[in-house]
Amino acid sequence: MKYHENVLDLIGRTPLVKMNRMVDANMATILMKMEQLNPGGSVKDRMAIHMIRGAEQKGLIKPGATLVESTSGNTGLGLAMAASVFGYRCVFTIPDKMSKEKIDMLKAFGAEVVVTRTDLQHDHPESYVEIAKRIARETPNAFYTDQYYNMDNPEAHYLTTGPEIWEDTDGKIDCLVGGIGTGGTISGAGKFLKEKAAEAGRDLKIICPDPKGSIYYDLFNGREPSDPSIYTVEGIGHDFMVGTLDFSVIDDVRPVSDRDSFITARRLAREEGIFVGGSTGTAVFGALQVARELGSGKVVVVILADAGDRYISKCFDDEWMKDMGFLGLEDRLGTVRELLQFKGGHVVFASPDETLAEVAKRMSELGISQMPVEQIDGHAYKMIHEVDILHSLISGSCTYEDKVACAATDLQGQVGLDAPLSTVQNIFDGNNIAVVIDDGKIVGVISKLDVVEFLAARS
Ligand SMILES: Cc1ncc(COP(=O)(O)O)c(C=O)c1O
């Protein structure tokens, strides 16, 4: 019979999945480490079970003990899942900024949950960390797992996450990208990968996108942290330095806004079919930047930290996004790149050698009323519109046998690939079509009907 002894055997050995629609050919390959596929739904399952086993081996917990932790939710879920299997009791403190889904899931595993205020300094007696420590002190047979200083946390990733990534990339990884909560994931996996890369004589970078308002960016750059401000992304960033974070393995920390994090998480669901949380949006936003910088031929691995089901009432709720000011008109409409990916197909060009007759014939066969003309020796693009052909024939300025150049006009209505679709709306005020330019090349032509069909499908 083929079966696992219990659900905890399913932790780890998560796959790498290639990103397709959110990247282009000029970018490095992005491989996504699917940590949301762990049975508890996040990367934290690995360190949760490792902290419990470590405490058991050190004789710090006995059967029937109470595990206490201050958590943004996922460590709690990993601990609660393991506690259900091993018969431990759980008490968690969690700041009220965290999603209702996470709090309900913790209770579903049978844990006791104490919701605390988010807007308190970490050393305030009513902060989630201090309350947890107090509960652990005042509860008989209790153990505070203390994820922010427990070195079993990064060790779990040194022993599992790092080796899996090295093995599954055949050692060809050029950059690991991941967020920093306790720093356990990136410090443990990063340390292992840096060691392997050094052995193999390869250069490997560790880059950490971090929420704007977290102190890690300043600390990493050796600056006195400016006053931490509350940000909305959950699970990463912090307002105090922790023991489990090893800056020596990290090459860069990059601030990312809540809006970019949430918009990216929503795009992952809509363009890659991957349902993950806001902190993964932060990481992937950074990974897309890095992949553009490194260029094609390089390999970037990004950690997908947790599943999206715990944020239905948050970044996947349009009303919440609008209320929070993260979803403006332009976001609701999407981007030019999304429309072109939806539309598919390729741009039909007219050749400079074609006559007006030949172009007109192709236009009617294809049911289109304009075409960009292929560049001649790098000269600027031109456009040939059926209306200009008509005018030139009626005015006699051209004949049917003349080359397209006779009636071609300068390019109008140009728009970038990553521009919000709302930009195209303005172009349509004066033009029938918008011409999409990327890297100086025409990569798409958008008509009003294309936008209508895209928005209809999107809604
Ligand atoms: C959603 C989410 N993303 C990322 C992380 C970061 O993981 P680590 O604590 O290993 O830095 C956490 C940690 O709690 C998390 O909950």
Side-chain angles (χ1 to χ4, degrees), residues 69-76 92-95 98 106 128 147-148:
E69 181 60 275
S70 44
T71 176
S72 60
N74 287 321
T75 301
F92 300 121
T93 59
I94 184 168
M98 306 305 167
L106 288 169
Y128 76 130
Q147 62 172 328
Y148 297 109

Side-chain angles (χ1 to χ4, degrees), residues 13 29 45 59 65 73 92 161 164 193 212 249 293 351 356 396 454 459:
R13 291 175 302 286
T29 299
D45 286 4
F92 300 121
T161 321
E164 289 170 23
L193 291 168
K212 285 185 180 154
V249 301
E293 292 157 15
S351 149
L356 293 177
F454 173 67
S459 62

Side-chain angles (χ1 to χ4, degrees), residues 245-393:
L245 171 55
D246 176 1
F247 272 139
S248 72
V249 301
I250 294 173
D251 297 285
D252 195 11
V253 175
R254 301 184 175 192
V256 177
S257 71
D258 279 335
R259 182 177 169 282
D260 288 333
S261 299
F262 295 137
I263 296 289
T264 307
R266 292 161 62 96
R267 287 189 64 198
L268 279 162
R270 292 176 177 180
E271 295 173 47
E272 301 288 342
I274 296 177
F275 194 35
V276 285
S279 80
T280 298
T282 313
V284 169
F285 185 85
L288 290 167
Q289 282 175 339
V290 172
R292 275 201 193 90
E293 292 157 15
L294 291 179
S296 59
K298 297 288 185 181
V299 175
V300 173
V301 172
V302 59
I303 307 269
L304 303 194
D306 75 346
D309 57 6
R310 50 215 64 194
Y311 308 102
I312 299 287
S313 65
K314 296 253 175 120
C315 64
F316 294 104
D317 178 326
D318 286 7
E319 290 317 309
W320 182 86
M321 287 287 283
K322 272 184 246 163
D323 297 348
M324 297 297 286
F326 297 138
L327 204 59
L329 174 66
E330 67 276 2
D331 304 307
R332 267 178 274 150
L333 295 182
T335 65
V336 170
R337 184 189 291 270
E338 288 173 286
L339 183 146
L340 285 187
Q341 280 160 349
F342 166 81
K343 183 181 171 193
H346 61 278
V347 181
V348 180
F349 284 88
S351 149
D353 309 323
E354 275 183 289
T355 64
L356 293 177
E358 287 160 341
V359 168
K361 184 165 173 296
R362 280 207 299 131
M363 282 185 184
S364 71
E365 281 159 5
L366 295 165
I368 57 178
S369 44
Q370 70 279 307
M371 288 179 189
V373 183
E374 274 153 12
Q375 280 179 307
I376 310 165
D377 317 332
H379 283 86
Y381 279 107
K382 292 279 187 186
M383 205 74 186
I384 183 76
H385 296 265
E386 67 183 358
V387 65
D388 296 326
I389 297 176
L390 180 63
H391 289 161
S392 68
L393 295 176

